[in-house]
Amino acid sequence: VFAYGQTGTGKTFTMEGGLEGGAAWSADHAQSGMIPRAVSQIFKSLEHNIDIEYSVRVTHMELYNEELIDLLGSTDEKTVKPLKMLEHPRDGVT
């Protein structure tokens, strides 16, 4: 999911939801954002496949001022390294 727009237009609210007391991280809360709803749906789908082993990987990135940062990585400003974006002639940006 890609959220784009000017500062203050509601991207964080749309993605995370209303975070008062963390209640919106419950996917069935009225103010849940896209992230908790999507994660809930993924795990509900996987629950039905009890005979299958699976692994879930998550990436949460921010693109700001042409700098791509992994928001789930290190929070120490000295070790945070911007990620590289590459453009492939056939596949586009990766």
Side-chain angles (χ1 to χ4, degrees):
V1 176
F2 184 74
Y4 174 81
Q6 289 183 297
T7 300
T9 58
K11 297 177 300 296
T12 301
F13 182 83
T14 299
M15 298 303 290
E16 297 178 359
L19 299 178
E20 290 183 26
W25 283 100
S26 167
D28 57 358
H29 188 274
Q31 290 197 2
S32 292
M34 292 179 70
I35 295 170
R37 291 173 191 258
V39 169
S40 176
Q41 184 61 43
I42 289 168
F43 283 101
K44 281 180 185 174
S45 296
L46 293 173
E47 284 176 353
H48 297 296
N49 298 313
I50 59 174
D51 297 333
I52 300 172
E53 185 177 325
Y54 55 85
S55 175
V56 177
R57 294 177 51 184
V58 177
T59 302
H60 191 176
M61 296 181 288
E62 175 184 83
L63 176 61
Y64 184 72
N65 285 339
E66 298 184 17
E67 212 170 77
L68 186 63
I69 299 170
D70 179 0
L71 295 175
L72 298 177
S74 175
T75 57
D76 179 12
E77 291 184 23
K78 295 177 184 175
T79 60
V80 171
K81 295 178 185 174
L83 302 171
K84 293 181 182 179
M85 289 182 286
L86 305 172
E87 187 169 356
H88 188 277
R90 184 186 64 226
D91 300 330
V93 177
T94 59

